Each structure stands twice: as structure tokens, then as C-alpha cells.
């Protein structure tokens, strides 16, 4: 029986970031990021600002989860490392693999140290490049809450297309928030590879 293509956990290197499997030294940075109320709000992990401020993570439980990712053959989780500092700033994930339809879900999490410097854009592009060159995928999809238009713009620049909305999918501080549904297909990605690179924008 051939090994699952998801069993290989690559190291992907860009100009700003390196994507690699989890290391135990990442855990303090993960705990720091998961204590950020804004991150918890944008990911829909809590339902109010009060919950976000009070949220606590179990280090032992997180360690067990992340340590077990290397053995998973149905998903790919890579840590986003800032090449300038060598430290963990987030993670990118391909999960919910549907082999019959050659599709999966994409998720990205960036802590406060990884924002506003183009790291998330590069990490998204690196993982999509891997998805469509090394994995048996035709479609990668995601959901982003409507109160996070900055993330939606990043996804659109990477090639994701808006497909629809899940109306009032999240309740936050008494308000109902839509989830925007997006996807990128292998032909979309392949067409973008023939385009000239965009001009560099000063940061």
C-alpha cells in the first residue's frame, strides 16, 4: 500500500517565512498568540470580548495536540516562522481532506508578532503552491468572517474567489456575523503561475 501523500511534512522556504513542522520550542509562542483577544475574535473561537479576555489554554493539552500532528496522514499543519527572528508567528493548515472530491479546507492563524508585514500572504502562497504541486488536490476552500475584510483581501490576492456566504454563522457580543466562503481551484492556481510577478510594494 502506497504511503499517504499527506504523511510527508515538508519544509517550505520563502523570502520572509519558513513553513515547517512543529517543534517543542514553538509552544511558548503559541500560548502567547492564543492569549490575544483579537486572534480569538477573528477565528470565531469565542463569542464575546469578555470570553476572549478570560480565555485560558492548557499547555499540556496543546503540547499533546501539536506533538501528534507529525503522525497525521489526513492533514498538513505547518508552523509559520519569521525568518528575520527565527521564531514562531503562526500556522497554516490543510485539513478536512475529501479524497473522493480531491478537496480540503485551508486555515491560517497569525499571532500579533506576525501581522502587517506580509508574512501571512507569503505563507498562504507557499502552502497553496505545495497543495497543487505535491498533493492530490483540485480545490482548496476556506471561510472568513465578514468582520475580517483584511484577511479576505489577502485570500483574494492569493487566488481565492468568493463563492457565497453563510448568513449569520457566528454570534459575537450579541451580533450575528456572516461567514464568507471562498475557494481556489487547481486551474485557477495554474493560470496564475504564468502571470508576471506583481511589482514590489515598499513595506
Amino acid at each position: 500500500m502506497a504511503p499517504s501523500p499527506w504523511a510527508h511534512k515538508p519544509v517550505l522556504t520563502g523570502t520572509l517565512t519558513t513553513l515547517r513542522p512543529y517543534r517543542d520550542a514553538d509552544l511558548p509562542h503559541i500560548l502567547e498568540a492564543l492569549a490575544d483577544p483579537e486572534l480569538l475574535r477573528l477565528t470565531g473561537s469565542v463569542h464575546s470580548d469578555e470570553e476572549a479576555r478570560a480565555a485560558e489554554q492548557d499547555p499540556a493539552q496543546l503540547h499533546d495536540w501539536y506533538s501528534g500532528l507529525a503522525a497525521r496522514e489526513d492533514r498538513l499543519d505547518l508552523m509559520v516562522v519569521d525568518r528575520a527572528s527565527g521564531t514562531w508567528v503562526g500556522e497554516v493548515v490543510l485539513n478536512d481532506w475529501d479524497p473522493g472530491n480531491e478537496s480540503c479546507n485551508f486555515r491560517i492563524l497569525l499571532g500579533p508578532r506576525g501581522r502587517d508585514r506580509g508574512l501571512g500572504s507569503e505563507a498562504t502562497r507557499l502552502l497553496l503552491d505545495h497543495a497543487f504541486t505535491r498533493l492530490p488536490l483540485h480545490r482548496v476552500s476556506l471561510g472568513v468572517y465578514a468582520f475580517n475584510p483584511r484577511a479576505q483581501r489577502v485570500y483574494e490576492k492569493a487566488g481565492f474567489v468568493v463563492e457565497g456566504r453563510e448568513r449569520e454563522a457566528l454570534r459575537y457580543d450579541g451580533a450575528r456575523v456572516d461567514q464568507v466562503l471562498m475557494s481556489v481551484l487547481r486551474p485557477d492556481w495554474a493560470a496564475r503561475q504564468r502571470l508576471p510577478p506583481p511589482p514590489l510594494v515598499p513595506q
Side-chain angles (χ1 to χ4, degrees), residues 13 46 88 148:
T13 303
V46 293
W88 183 102
N148 194 359

Side-chain angles (χ1 to χ4, degrees), residues 89-134:
V89 293
E91 63 188 41
V92 285
V93 179
L94 296 173
N95 63 356
D96 294 340
W97 180 35
D98 180 347
N101 290 314
E102 298 179 324
S103 65
C104 74
N105 177 72
F106 170 81
R107 184 174 62 79
I108 183 170
L109 176 154
L110 282 184
R113 295 177 185 266
R115 295 176 190 153
D116 302 321
R117 290 185 289 130
L119 277 64
S121 295
E122 182 179 85
T124 299
R125 178 183 59 77
L126 287 171
L127 193 62
L128 285 182
D129 288 351
H130 178 77
F132 289 127
T133 57
R134 301 297 181 186

Side-chain angles (χ1 to χ4, degrees), residues 10-30:
V11 175
L12 309 176
T13 303
T15 303
L16 303 174
T17 61
T18 297
L19 310 186
R20 58 154 175 77
Y22 169 79
R23 298 175 183 170
D24 285 345
D26 299 330
L27 187 59
H29 303 289
I30 294 172

Side-chain angles (χ1 to χ4, degrees), residues 19 26 41 45 73 84 104 107 111 149-151 182 191 201:
L19 310 186
D26 299 330
R41 182 180 76 90
S45 302
E73 296 189 1
C104 74
R107 184 174 62 79
R150 180 173 62 177
M182 308 180 73
V201 177

Side-chain angles (χ1 to χ4, degrees), residues 26-86:
D26 299 330
L27 187 59
H29 303 289
I30 294 172
L31 287 165
E32 178 186 56
L34 293 180
D36 175 42
E38 181 70 355
L39 182 149
L40 298 175
R41 182 180 76 90
L42 294 177
T43 57
S45 302
V46 293
H47 295 283
S48 69
D49 287 344
E50 183 179 357
E51 279 186 39
R53 290 190 295 268
E56 294 184 7
Q57 305 295 331
D58 182 342
Q61 187 176 42
L62 282 174
H63 177 267
D64 289 347
W65 165 257
Y66 281 96
S67 296
L69 293 174
R72 297 289 296 266
E73 296 189 1
D74 61 342
R75 58 185 288 151
L76 176 62
D77 299 72
L78 295 177
M79 307 300 106
V80 181
V81 176
D82 179 359
R83 293 191 66 189
S85 65

